[in-house]
Coordinates of all heavy atoms in Angstrom, one line a residue:
M1 N -14.6 -7.6 -7.2 CA -15.0 -7.4 -8.6 C -14.6 -6.0 -9.1 O -14.6 -5.1 -8.3 CB -16.5 -7.7 -8.8 CG -16.9 -9.1 -8.5 SD -18.5 -9.7 -8.8 CE -19.4 -8.3 -9.3
G2 N -14.4 -5.9 -10.4 CA -14.1 -4.6 -11.0 C -13.1 -4.7 -12.1 O -12.7 -5.8 -12.5
R3 N -12.7 -3.5 -12.5 CA -11.7 -3.4 -13.6 C -10.5 -2.6 -13.1 O -10.6 -1.5 -12.5 CB -12.3 -2.6 -14.8 CG -11.4 -2.4 -16.0 CD -12.1 -1.6 -17.0 NE -13.4 -2.1 -17.4 CZ -13.6 -2.9 -18.4 NH1 -12.6 -3.3 -19.2 NH2 -14.9 -3.3 -18.7
W4 N -9.3 -3.1 -13.3 CA -8.1 -2.5 -12.9 C -7.1 -2.3 -14.1 O -7.0 -3.3 -14.9 CB -7.4 -3.3 -11.8 CG -8.1 -3.3 -10.5 CD1 -7.9 -2.4 -9.5 CD2 -9.1 -4.1 -10.0 NE1 -8.7 -2.6 -8.4 CE2 -9.5 -3.7 -8.7 CE3 -9.8 -5.2 -10.6 CZ2 -10.5 -4.4 -8.0 CZ3 -10.7 -5.9 -9.9 CH2 -11.1 -5.4 -8.6
K5 N -6.4 -1.2 -14.1 CA -5.5 -0.9 -15.2 C -4.1 -0.7 -14.6 O -4.0 0.0 -13.6 CB -5.9 0.2 -16.1 CG -7.2 -0.1 -16.8 CD -7.6 1.1 -17.8 CE -8.8 0.7 -18.6 NZ -9.1 1.8 -19.6
G6 N -3.1 -1.2 -15.3 CA -1.7 -1.0 -14.9 C -0.8 -1.2 -16.0 O -1.1 -1.4 -17.1
N7 N 0.5 -1.2 -15.6 CA 1.6 -1.4 -16.6 C 2.6 -2.4 -15.9 O 3.0 -2.3 -14.8 CB 2.4 -0.1 -16.9 CG 3.3 -0.3 -18.0 OD1 4.3 -1.0 -17.9 ND2 3.1 0.4 -19.1
V8 N 2.9 -3.5 -16.7 CA 3.8 -4.5 -16.2 C 5.1 -4.4 -17.0 O 5.1 -4.5 -18.2 CB 3.1 -5.9 -16.5 CG1 4.1 -7.0 -16.0 CG2 1.8 -6.0 -15.8
R9 N 6.1 -4.0 -16.3 CA 7.4 -3.9 -16.9 C 7.8 -5.1 -17.7 O 7.7 -6.2 -17.3 CB 8.5 -3.6 -15.9 CG 9.8 -3.1 -16.5 CD 10.8 -2.7 -15.5 NE 10.7 -3.6 -14.3 CZ 11.5 -3.5 -13.2 NH1 12.5 -2.7 -13.3 NH2 11.3 -4.3 -12.2
G10 N 8.1 -4.9 -19.0 CA 8.5 -6.0 -19.9 C 7.3 -6.5 -20.7 O 7.5 -7.2 -21.7
L11 N 6.1 -6.2 -20.3 CA 4.9 -6.7 -21.0 C 4.0 -5.5 -21.5 O 3.2 -5.7 -22.4 CB 4.0 -7.6 -20.1 CG 4.7 -8.9 -19.7 CD1 3.8 -9.7 -18.7 CD2 5.0 -9.8 -20.9
G12 N 4.1 -4.3 -20.8 CA 3.3 -3.2 -21.2 C 2.0 -3.0 -20.4 O 1.9 -3.6 -19.4
E13 N 1.1 -2.3 -21.0 CA -0.2 -2.0 -20.4 C -0.9 -3.3 -20.2 O -0.8 -4.2 -21.0 CB -1.0 -1.0 -21.3 CG -0.4 0.4 -21.5 CD -0.3 1.1 -20.1 OE1 -1.3 1.1 -19.4 OE2 0.7 1.8 -19.9
A14 N -1.7 -3.3 -19.1 CA -2.5 -4.5 -18.8 C -3.8 -4.1 -18.1 O -3.8 -3.0 -17.4 CB -1.7 -5.4 -17.9
E15 N -4.8 -4.9 -18.3 CA -6.1 -4.6 -17.6 C -6.6 -6.0 -17.1 O -6.6 -7.0 -17.8 CB -7.1 -4.1 -18.6 CG -8.4 -3.8 -18.0 CD -9.4 -3.2 -19.0 OE1 -9.2 -2.0 -19.5 OE2 -10.3 -3.9 -19.4
I16 N -7.1 -5.9 -15.8 CA -7.7 -7.1 -15.2 C -9.1 -6.7 -15.0 O -9.5 -5.7 -14.4 CB -7.0 -7.4 -13.8 CG1 -5.6 -7.7 -14.0 CG2 -7.8 -8.5 -13.1 CD1 -4.8 -7.8 -12.7
L17 N -10.0 -7.6 -15.5 CA -11.5 -7.4 -15.3 C -12.0 -8.6 -14.6 O -11.9 -9.8 -15.1 CB -12.2 -7.3 -16.7 CG -13.7 -7.3 -16.6 CD1 -14.2 -6.1 -15.9 CD2 -14.3 -7.3 -18.0
V18 N -12.4 -8.4 -13.4 CA -13.0 -9.5 -12.6 C -14.5 -9.3 -12.6 O -15.0 -8.3 -12.0 CB -12.5 -9.5 -11.1 CG1 -13.1 -10.6 -10.3 CG2 -11.0 -9.7 -11.2
T19 N -15.3 -10.3 -13.2 CA -16.7 -10.2 -13.3 C -17.4 -10.9 -12.2 O -18.6 -10.6 -11.9 CB -17.2 -10.7 -14.6 OG1 -16.7 -12.0 -14.8 CG2 -16.7 -9.8 -15.8
A20 N -16.7 -11.9 -11.5 CA -17.3 -12.6 -10.4 C -16.2 -13.3 -9.6 O -15.2 -13.6 -10.2 CB -18.3 -13.7 -10.9
V21 N -16.5 -13.5 -8.4 CA -15.7 -14.3 -7.5 C -16.6 -15.4 -6.9 O -17.6 -15.1 -6.3 CB -15.1 -13.4 -6.3 CG1 -14.2 -14.3 -5.4 CG2 -14.2 -12.3 -6.9
R22 N -16.2 -16.6 -7.3 CA -17.0 -17.8 -6.8 C -16.8 -18.1 -5.4 O -15.9 -17.5 -4.7 CB -16.5 -19.0 -7.6 CG -16.7 -18.8 -9.1 CD -16.3 -20.1 -9.9 NE -16.2 -19.8 -11.3 CZ -15.9 -20.8 -12.2 NH1 -15.6 -22.1 -11.7 NH2 -15.8 -20.5 -13.4
A23 N -17.7 -18.9 -4.8 CA -17.6 -19.3 -3.4 C -16.2 -19.8 -3.0 O -15.8 -19.6 -1.8 CB -18.7 -20.3 -3.1
N24 N -15.5 -20.5 -3.9 CA -14.2 -21.1 -3.6 C -13.1 -20.1 -3.8 O -11.9 -20.4 -3.7 CB -14.0 -22.4 -4.4 CG -13.9 -22.1 -5.9 OD1 -14.0 -20.9 -6.4 ND2 -13.7 -23.1 -6.7
G25 N -13.4 -18.8 -4.1 CA -12.4 -17.8 -4.3 C -11.9 -17.6 -5.8 O -11.2 -16.7 -6.1
Q26 N -12.3 -18.6 -6.6 CA -11.9 -18.5 -8.0 C -12.6 -17.3 -8.7 O -13.7 -17.0 -8.5 CB -12.2 -19.8 -8.7 CG -11.7 -19.9 -10.2 CD -12.1 -21.2 -10.8 OE1 -11.9 -22.2 -10.2 NE2 -12.6 -21.2 -12.0
V27 N -11.8 -16.6 -9.6 CA -12.3 -15.5 -10.3 C -12.7 -15.8 -11.7 O -12.1 -16.6 -12.4 CB -11.3 -14.2 -10.3 CG1 -11.1 -13.8 -8.8 CG2 -10.1 -14.5 -11.0
D28 N -13.7 -15.1 -12.2 CA -14.1 -15.1 -13.6 C -13.8 -13.7 -14.2 O -13.9 -12.7 -13.5 CB -15.6 -15.4 -13.7 CG -16.0 -16.8 -13.3 OD1 -15.2 -17.7 -13.6 OD2 -17.0 -17.0 -12.7
G29 N -13.5 -13.6 -15.5 CA -13.3 -12.4 -16.1 C -12.1 -12.6 -17.1 O -12.0 -13.6 -17.7
T30 N -11.4 -11.5 -17.4 CA -10.3 -11.5 -18.4 C -9.1 -10.7 -17.9 O -9.2 -9.9 -17.0 CB -10.8 -10.9 -19.7 OG1 -11.2 -9.5 -19.5 CG2 -11.9 -11.7 -20.3
M31 N -8.0 -11.0 -18.5 CA -6.8 -10.2 -18.4 C -6.3 -9.8 -19.8 O -6.1 -10.7 -20.6 CB -5.7 -10.9 -17.6 CG -4.5 -10.1 -17.2 SD -3.5 -10.9 -16.0 CE -2.4 -9.6 -15.6
T32 N -6.2 -8.5 -20.1 CA -5.9 -8.1 -21.4 C -4.6 -7.3 -21.5 O -4.3 -6.5 -20.6 CB -7.0 -7.2 -22.0 OG1 -8.3 -7.9 -21.9 CG2 -6.8 -6.7 -23.4
F33 N -3.8 -7.5 -22.5 CA -2.6 -6.8 -22.8 C -2.8 -6.1 -24.2 O -2.5 -6.7 -25.2 CB -1.4 -7.7 -22.8 CG -1.1 -8.3 -21.5 CD1 -1.7 -9.5 -21.1 CD2 -0.2 -7.7 -20.6 CE1 -1.4 -10.1 -19.9 CE2 0.0 -8.2 -19.3 CZ -0.6 -9.4 -19.0
P34 N -3.3 -4.9 -24.2 CA -3.7 -4.2 -25.5 C -2.5 -4.1 -26.5 O -2.7 -4.2 -27.7 CB -4.1 -2.8 -25.0 CG -4.5 -3.0 -23.6 CD -3.6 -4.0 -23.0
E35 N -1.3 -3.7 -26.0 CA -0.2 -3.5 -26.9 C 0.2 -4.8 -27.6 O 0.8 -4.8 -28.7 CB 1.0 -3.0 -26.1 CG 0.8 -1.7 -25.5 CD 1.9 -1.2 -24.5 OE1 3.0 -1.8 -24.6 OE2 1.6 -0.4 -23.7
Q36 N -0.1 -6.0 -27.0 CA 0.2 -7.3 -27.6 C -1.1 -7.9 -28.3 O -1.0 -9.0 -28.8 CB 0.7 -8.2 -26.6 CG 2.0 -7.8 -26.0 CD 2.5 -8.6 -24.8 OE1 1.9 -9.7 -24.6 NE2 3.5 -8.2 -24.1
A37 N -2.2 -7.2 -28.2 CA -3.5 -7.6 -28.7 C -3.8 -9.1 -28.2 O -4.3 -9.9 -28.9 CB -3.5 -7.6 -30.2
K38 N -3.6 -9.3 -26.9 CA -3.8 -10.6 -26.3 C -4.8 -10.4 -25.1 O -4.7 -9.5 -24.3 CB -2.5 -11.2 -25.7 CG -1.5 -11.6 -26.7 CD -1.9 -12.8 -27.5 CE -1.6 -14.0 -26.7 NZ -1.9 -15.3 -27.4
T39 N -5.8 -11.3 -25.1 CA -6.8 -11.4 -24.0 C -6.8 -12.8 -23.5 O -6.9 -13.7 -24.3 CB -8.2 -10.9 -24.4 OG1 -8.1 -9.5 -24.8 CG2 -9.2 -11.0 -23.3
F40 N -6.7 -12.9 -22.2 CA -6.8 -14.2 -21.5 C -8.0 -14.3 -20.7 O -8.2 -13.4 -19.8 CB -5.5 -14.4 -20.7 CG -4.3 -14.4 -21.5 CD1 -3.6 -13.2 -21.7 CD2 -3.7 -15.5 -22.0 CE1 -2.4 -13.1 -22.4 CE2 -2.6 -15.4 -22.8 CZ -1.9 -14.3 -23.0
K41 N -8.8 -15.3 -20.8 CA -9.9 -15.5 -19.9 C -9.4 -16.2 -18.6 O -8.4 -16.9 -18.6 CB -11.0 -16.4 -20.6 CG -11.7 -15.7 -21.7 CD -12.8 -16.7 -22.3 CE -13.5 -16.0 -23.5 NZ -14.5 -16.8 -24.0
F42 N -10.2 -16.0 -17.5 CA -10.0 -16.8 -16.3 C -10.8 -18.1 -16.4 O -12.0 -18.0 -16.8 CB -10.4 -16.0 -15.1 CG -9.4 -14.9 -14.8 CD1 -9.7 -13.6 -15.0 CD2 -8.1 -15.2 -14.3 CE1 -8.8 -12.5 -14.7 CE2 -7.2 -14.2 -14.0 CZ -7.6 -12.9 -14.2
G43 N -10.3 -19.2 -16.0 CA -11.0 -20.4 -16.1 C -10.7 -21.3 -14.9 O -10.0 -20.9 -13.9
D44 N -11.3 -22.5 -14.9 CA -11.2 -23.4 -13.8 C -9.8 -23.9 -13.5 O -9.4 -24.3 -12.4 CB -12.0 -24.7 -14.0 CG -13.5 -24.3 -14.0 OD1 -13.9 -23.3 -13.4 OD2 -14.3 -25.0 -14.7
K45 N -8.9 -23.9 -14.5 CA -7.5 -24.3 -14.4 C -6.7 -23.6 -15.4 O -7.1 -23.1 -16.4 CB -7.3 -25.8 -14.4 CG -7.7 -26.4 -15.8 CD -7.5 -27.9 -15.8 CE -7.8 -28.4 -17.2 NZ -7.5 -29.8 -17.3
L46 N -5.4 -23.4 -15.1 CA -4.4 -22.9 -16.1 C -4.4 -23.7 -17.3 O -4.3 -24.9 -17.3 CB -3.0 -22.8 -15.4 CG -1.9 -22.2 -16.3 CD1 -2.2 -20.7 -16.6 CD2 -0.6 -22.3 -15.6
D47 N -4.5 -23.1 -18.5 CA -4.5 -23.8 -19.8 C -3.7 -22.9 -20.8 O -4.2 -22.0 -21.4 CB -5.9 -24.0 -20.2 CG -5.9 -24.9 -21.5 OD1 -4.9 -24.9 -22.3 OD2 -7.0 -25.4 -21.8
I48 N -2.4 -23.2 -20.9 CA -1.5 -22.4 -21.8 C -1.9 -22.4 -23.2 O -2.0 -21.4 -23.9 CB 0.0 -22.8 -21.6 CG1 0.4 -22.5 -20.1 CG2 0.9 -22.1 -22.6 CD1 1.7 -23.1 -19.7
V49 N -2.3 -23.6 -23.7 CA -2.7 -23.8 -25.1 C -3.9 -22.9 -25.5 O -3.9 -22.3 -26.6 CB -2.9 -25.3 -25.4 CG1 -3.5 -25.5 -26.8 CG2 -1.7 -26.1 -25.2
N50 N -4.9 -22.9 -24.6 CA -6.1 -22.1 -24.9 C -6.1 -20.7 -24.3 O -7.2 -20.1 -24.2 CB -7.3 -23.0 -24.5 CG -7.4 -24.2 -25.3 OD1 -7.5 -24.2 -26.5 ND2 -7.5 -25.3 -24.6
S51 N -5.0 -20.2 -23.8 CA -4.9 -18.9 -23.2 C -5.9 -18.6 -22.1 O -6.5 -17.6 -22.0 CB -5.1 -17.8 -24.3 OG -4.1 -17.9 -25.3
I52 N -5.8 -19.6 -21.2 CA -6.7 -19.5 -20.0 C -5.9 -19.3 -18.7 O -5.0 -20.1 -18.4 CB -7.6 -20.8 -19.8 CG1 -8.4 -21.1 -21.0 CG2 -8.4 -20.7 -18.5 CD1 -9.5 -20.1 -21.3
N53 N -6.1 -18.2 -18.0 CA -5.4 -17.9 -16.7 C -6.2 -18.5 -15.7 O -7.4 -18.8 -15.8 CB -5.3 -16.4 -16.5 CG -4.3 -15.7 -17.4 OD1 -3.6 -16.3 -18.1 ND2 -4.4 -14.4 -17.3
H54 N -5.6 -18.7 -14.5 CA -6.3 -19.1 -13.3 C -6.1 -18.1 -12.2 O -5.0 -17.8 -11.9 CB -5.9 -20.5 -12.9 CG -6.6 -21.1 -11.7 ND1 -6.1 -21.2 -10.5 CD2 -7.9 -21.6 -11.6 CE1 -7.0 -21.7 -9.7 NE2 -8.1 -21.9 -10.3
G55 N -7.2 -17.6 -11.6 CA -7.1 -16.6 -10.6 C -7.9 -17.0 -9.4 O -9.0 -17.6 -9.5
V56 N -7.3 -16.8 -8.2 CA -8.0 -17.1 -6.9 C -7.8 -16.0 -5.9 O -6.7 -15.4 -5.8 CB -7.4 -18.4 -6.3 CG1 -8.1 -18.7 -5.0 CG2 -7.7 -19.6 -7.3
V57 N -8.9 -15.6 -5.2 CA -8.8 -14.6 -4.2 C -8.9 -15.4 -2.8 O -9.7 -16.3 -2.6 CB -10.1 -13.7 -4.2 CG1 -10.1 -12.8 -3.0 CG2 -10.1 -12.9 -5.5
Q58 N -7.9 -15.0 -2.0 CA -7.8 -15.5 -0.6 C -7.6 -14.3 0.3 O -6.6 -13.7 0.3 CB -6.7 -16.5 -0.4 CG -6.9 -17.8 -1.2 CD -5.7 -18.8 -1.1 OE1 -4.6 -18.3 -1.2 NE2 -6.0 -20.0 -0.9
G59 N -8.7 -14.0 1.1 CA -8.6 -12.8 1.9 C -8.5 -11.6 1.0 O -9.4 -11.4 0.1
S60 N -7.5 -10.8 1.1 CA -7.4 -9.6 0.3 C -6.3 -9.8 -0.8 O -5.9 -8.8 -1.5 CB -6.9 -8.4 1.1 OG -5.7 -8.6 1.7
V61 N -5.9 -11.0 -1.1 CA -4.8 -11.3 -2.0 C -5.4 -12.1 -3.2 O -6.1 -13.1 -3.1 CB -3.7 -12.2 -1.4 CG1 -2.6 -12.5 -2.5 CG2 -3.1 -11.4 -0.3
L62 N -5.1 -11.5 -4.4 CA -5.5 -12.1 -5.7 C -4.2 -12.8 -6.3 O -3.2 -12.0 -6.5 CB -6.1 -11.1 -6.7 CG -6.3 -11.6 -8.1 CD1 -7.2 -12.7 -8.2 CD2 -6.8 -10.4 -9.0
T63 N -4.2 -14.0 -6.5 CA -3.1 -14.8 -7.2 C -3.6 -15.2 -8.6 O -4.6 -15.8 -8.7 CB -2.7 -16.0 -6.3 OG1 -2.3 -15.5 -5.0 CG2 -1.5 -16.7 -7.0
I64 N -2.8 -14.8 -9.6 CA -3.1 -15.2 -10.9 C -2.0 -15.9 -11.5 O -0.8 -15.4 -11.6 CB -3.4 -13.9 -11.8 CG1 -4.5 -13.1 -11.2 CG2 -3.7 -14.3 -13.3 CD1 -4.7 -11.7 -11.9
E65 N -2.2 -17.2 -11.9 CA -1.3 -18.0 -12.7 C -1.6 -17.7 -14.2 O -2.8 -17.8 -14.6 CB -1.4 -19.5 -12.5 CG -1.1 -19.9 -11.0 CD -1.4 -21.3 -10.9 OE1 -2.6 -21.7 -10.7 OE2 -0.5 -22.2 -10.9
T66 N -0.6 -17.2 -15.0 CA -0.9 -16.8 -16.3 C -0.4 -17.8 -17.4 O 0.6 -18.5 -17.3 CB -0.2 -15.5 -16.6 OG1 1.2 -15.6 -16.7 CG2 -0.5 -14.4 -15.5
A67 N -1.2 -17.8 -18.5 CA -0.9 -18.6 -19.7 C 0.4 -18.0 -20.4 O 1.0 -18.8 -21.1 CB -2.1 -18.6 -20.6
L68 N 0.7 -16.8 -20.1 CA 2.0 -16.2 -20.6 C 3.2 -16.8 -19.9 O 4.3 -16.6 -20.3 CB 2.0 -14.7 -20.5 CG 1.3 -13.9 -21.6 CD1 1.4 -12.4 -21.2 CD2 2.0 -14.1 -22.9
G69 N 2.9 -17.4 -18.7 CA 4.0 -17.8 -17.9 C 4.1 -16.9 -16.7 O 4.1 -15.6 -16.9
G70 N 4.3 -17.4 -15.5 CA 4.5 -16.5 -14.4 C 3.2 -16.4 -13.5 O 2.2 -16.9 -13.9
T71 N 3.4 -15.7 -12.4 CA 2.4 -15.5 -11.4 C 2.3 -14.1 -10.9 O 3.4 -13.5 -10.6 CB 2.6 -16.5 -10.3 OG1 2.7 -17.9 -10.7 CG2 1.5 -16.4 -9.2
Y72 N 1.1 -13.6 -10.7 CA 0.9 -12.3 -10.1 C 0.4 -12.6 -8.7 O -0.5 -13.4 -8.5 CB -0.2 -11.5 -10.8 CG 0.2 -11.0 -12.1 CD1 0.1 -11.8 -13.3 CD2 0.8 -9.7 -12.3 CE1 0.5 -11.3 -14.5 CE2 1.1 -9.3 -13.6 CZ 1.0 -10.1 -14.7 OH 1.4 -9.6 -15.9
R73 N 0.9 -11.9 -7.7 CA 0.4 -11.9 -6.3 C 0.1 -10.5 -6.0 O 1.0 -9.7 -5.8 CB 1.5 -12.5 -5.4 CG 1.6 -14.0 -5.5 CD 2.6 -14.7 -4.6 NE 2.7 -16.1 -4.8 CZ 3.4 -16.6 -5.8 NH1 4.1 -15.8 -6.6 NH2 3.5 -17.9 -6.0
L74 N -1.2 -10.2 -5.9 CA -1.6 -8.8 -5.7 C -2.5 -8.7 -4.5 O -3.4 -9.4 -4.3 CB -2.4 -8.4 -7.0 CG -1.7 -8.6 -8.3 CD1 -2.7 -8.5 -9.4 CD2 -0.6 -7.6 -8.4
N75 N -2.2 -7.6 -3.7 CA -3.0 -7.3 -2.5 C -3.9 -6.2 -2.8 O -3.5 -5.1 -3.4 CB -2.0 -6.9 -1.4 CG -2.7 -6.7 -0.1 OD1 -3.5 -7.6 0.4 ND2 -2.5 -5.6 0.6
A76 N -5.2 -6.4 -2.5 CA -6.2 -5.3 -2.7 C -6.4 -4.4 -1.5 O -6.5 -4.9 -0.4 CB -7.6 -6.0 -3.0
A77 N -6.1 -3.1 -1.8 CA -6.3 -2.1 -0.7 C -6.5 -0.7 -1.4 O -5.8 -0.4 -2.3 CB -5.1 -2.1 0.2
S78 N -7.4 0.1 -0.8 CA -7.6 1.5 -1.3 C -7.7 1.6 -2.8 O -7.1 2.5 -3.4 CB -6.4 2.3 -0.8 OG -6.2 2.3 0.6
G79 N -8.5 0.7 -3.4 CA -8.8 0.9 -4.8 C -7.6 0.5 -5.7 O -7.6 0.8 -6.9
R80 N -6.7 -0.2 -5.2 CA -5.5 -0.7 -5.9 C -5.2 -2.2 -5.7 O -5.6 -2.7 -4.7 CB -4.2 0.0 -5.5 CG -4.2 1.5 -5.8 CD -2.9 2.0 -5.3 NE -2.6 3.3 -5.8 CZ -1.6 4.1 -5.5 NH1 -0.8 3.7 -4.5 NH2 -1.5 5.3 -6.0
L81 N -4.6 -2.8 -6.7 CA -4.0 -4.1 -6.6 C -2.5 -3.9 -6.7 O -2.0 -3.5 -7.7 CB -4.5 -5.0 -7.7 CG -6.0 -5.3 -7.7 CD1 -6.4 -6.1 -9.0 CD2 -6.4 -6.1 -6.5
T82 N -1.8 -4.2 -5.6 CA -0.3 -4.0 -5.7 C 0.4 -5.3 -5.3 O -0.2 -6.0 -4.4 CB 0.1 -2.8 -4.7 OG1 -0.3 -3.2 -3.4 CG2 -0.5 -1.5 -5.1
G83 N 1.5 -5.5 -5.9 CA 2.3 -6.7 -5.5 C 3.4 -6.9 -6.5 O 4.1 -6.0 -6.9
E84 N 3.5 -8.2 -7.0 CA 4.6 -8.5 -7.9 C 4.2 -9.5 -8.9 O 3.2 -10.3 -8.7 CB 5.8 -9.1 -7.0 CG 5.5 -10.4 -6.4 CD 6.6 -10.8 -5.5 OE1 7.5 -10.1 -5.2 OE2 6.6 -12.0 -5.1
Y85 N 4.9 -9.5 -10.0 CA 4.8 -10.5 -11.1 C 6.1 -11.2 -11.1 O 7.2 -10.6 -11.2 CB 4.5 -9.8 -12.4 CG 4.6 -10.7 -13.6 CD1 3.8 -11.8 -13.7 CD2 5.5 -10.4 -14.6 CE1 3.9 -12.7 -14.8 CE2 5.6 -11.3 -15.7 CZ 4.8 -12.4 -15.8 OH 4.9 -13.2 -16.9
T86 N 6.1 -12.5 -11.0 CA 7.3 -13.3 -11.1 C 7.2 -14.3 -12.2 O 6.1 -14.9 -12.4 CB 7.6 -14.1 -9.8 OG1 6.5 -14.9 -9.4 CG2 7.9 -13.1 -8.6
R87 N 8.3 -14.5 -12.9 CA 8.3 -15.5 -14.0 C 9.7 -16.2 -13.9 O 10.7 -15.5 -14.1 CB 8.1 -14.8 -15.3 CG 7.9 -15.7 -16.5 CD 7.5 -14.8 -17.6 NE 7.6 -15.6 -18.9 CZ 7.3 -15.1 -20.1 NH1 6.9 -13.9 -20.2 NH2 7.5 -15.8 -21.1
G88 N 9.6 -17.5 -13.6 CA 10.9 -18.2 -13.4 C 11.8 -17.6 -12.3 O 11.2 -17.1 -11.4
T89 N 13.1 -17.7 -12.5 CA 14.0 -17.1 -11.6 C 14.6 -15.8 -12.0 O 15.4 -15.3 -11.3 CB 15.1 -18.1 -11.3 OG1 15.8 -18.4 -12.5 CG2 14.6 -19.4 -10.7
T90 N 14.2 -15.4 -13.2 CA 14.9 -14.2 -13.8 C 14.0 -13.0 -13.8 O 14.5 -11.9 -14.0 CB 15.3 -14.5 -15.3 OG1 14.2 -14.8 -16.0 CG2 16.3 -15.6 -15.3
M91 N 12.7 -13.1 -13.6 CA 11.9 -11.9 -13.6 C 11.0 -11.8 -12.4 O 10.3 -12.7 -11.9 CB 10.9 -12.0 -14.8 CG 10.1 -10.8 -15.1 SD 9.2 -10.9 -16.6 CE 8.9 -9.2 -17.0
N92 N 11.2 -10.7 -11.7 CA 10.4 -10.4 -10.5 C 10.2 -8.9 -10.5 O 11.2 -8.1 -10.2 CB 11.1 -10.9 -9.2 CG 10.3 -10.7 -8.0 OD1 9.4 -9.8 -7.9 ND2 10.5 -11.5 -7.0
V93 N 9.0 -8.4 -10.9 CA 8.8 -6.9 -11.0 C 7.6 -6.5 -10.1 O 6.6 -7.2 -10.1 CB 8.6 -6.5 -12.5 CG1 9.9 -6.8 -13.3 CG2 7.4 -7.2 -13.1
P94 N 7.8 -5.3 -9.5 CA 6.6 -4.8 -8.8 C 5.6 -4.3 -9.8 O 5.9 -3.8 -10.9 CB 7.2 -3.6 -8.0 CG 8.4 -3.2 -8.8 CD 8.9 -4.5 -9.5
V95 N 4.3 -4.5 -9.4 CA 3.2 -4.0 -10.3 C 2.1 -3.4 -9.4 O 1.9 -3.7 -8.2 CB 2.5 -5.2 -11.1 CG1 3.5 -5.7 -12.1 CG2 2.1 -6.3 -10.2
T96 N 1.4 -2.4 -10.0 CA 0.3 -1.7 -9.4 C -0.8 -1.5 -10.4 O -0.5 -1.1 -11.5 CB 0.7 -0.3 -8.8 OG1 1.7 -0.5 -7.8 CG2 -0.5 0.4 -8.2
F97 N -2.0 -2.0 -10.1 CA -3.1 -1.8 -10.9 C -4.1 -0.8 -10.2 O -4.4 -1.1 -9.0 CB -3.8 -3.1 -11.2 CG -3.1 -4.0 -12.1 CD1 -2.2 -4.9 -11.6 CD2 -3.3 -4.1 -13.5 CE1 -1.4 -5.8 -12.4 CE2 -2.6 -4.9 -14.3 CZ -1.7 -5.8 -13.7
E98 N -4.5 0.2 -10.9 CA -5.5 1.2 -10.3 C -6.9 0.8 -10.7 O -7.1 0.5 -11.9 CB -5.2 2.6 -10.8 CG -3.8 3.1 -10.4 CD -3.7 3.6 -9.0 OE1 -4.7 3.9 -8.4 OE2 -2.5 3.7 -8.6
K99 N -7.8 0.9 -9.8 CA -9.2 0.6 -10.1 C -9.7 1.7 -11.1 O -9.6 2.9 -10.9 CB -10.1 0.6 -8.9 CG -11.5 0.2 -9.2 CD -12.0 -0.7 -8.1 CE -13.4 -1.3 -8.6 NZ -14.0 -2.1 -7.6
A100 N -10.3 1.2 -12.2 CA -10.8 2.1 -13.3 C -12.3 2.3 -13.0 O -13.0 1.5 -12.5 CB -10.6 1.4 -14.7
M101 N -12.7 3.5 -13.4 CA -14.1 3.9 -13.2 C -15.0 3.4 -14.3 O -14.6 3.1 -15.3 CB -14.3 5.4 -13.1 CG -13.5 6.0 -12.0 SD -14.3 5.4 -10.4 CE -13.0 5.7 -9.3

């Protein structure tokens, strides 16, 4: 749980807020892109029409399927979430989110 801030190449500044992790690993919270004035809630399943992302924690890995399209695979270590954002076959960018105080 917590708040992480980072920058996603091609999308800009981003913030992940995880308010709870359920027993099945599913996360509750939001993912916000301030420059685009877009906030996506985490829900029980991916819902593009209603801007609902789906996030699951397995071990130290957080996987987020996004309503914008694409998937984040992030490893939690040392106050950071690091990994990649992939979208289709044309976009694969490294991402790092730092834990915010």
Side-chain angles (χ1 to χ4, degrees):
M1 294 189 350
R3 178 185 310 266
W4 289 268
K5 293 184 178 188
N7 188 295
V8 180
R9 189 174 36 172
L11 297 174
E13 296 297 317
E15 179 178 292
I16 299 170
L17 173 63
V18 176
T19 56
V21 178
R22 300 180 192 184
N24 65 358
Q26 184 177 316
V27 299
D28 292 321
T30 58
M31 188 169 190
T32 303
F33 295 89
E35 294 169 22
Q36 299 175 9
K38 292 288 277 182
T39 297
F40 301 89
K41 290 183 180 180
F42 287 107
D44 293 332
K45 63 180 182 174
L46 179 64
D47 184 340
I48 295 167
V49 173
N50 293 306
S51 298
I52 304 293
N53 288 351
H54 183 253
V56 176
V57 173
Q58 292 177 316
S60 65
V61 178
L62 170 60
T63 302
I64 302 170
E65 295 176 281
T66 71
L68 276 177
T71 302
Y72 291 85
R73 285 181 186 79
L74 305 168
N75 187 50
S78 303
R80 291 182 167 170
L81 295 173
T82 58
E84 63 184 13
Y85 170 61
T86 56
R87 188 169 167 181
T89 58
T90 59
M91 187 173 201
N92 185 333
V93 296
V95 291
T96 299
F97 291 87
E98 300 279 344
K99 187 139 189 184
M101 296 296 161

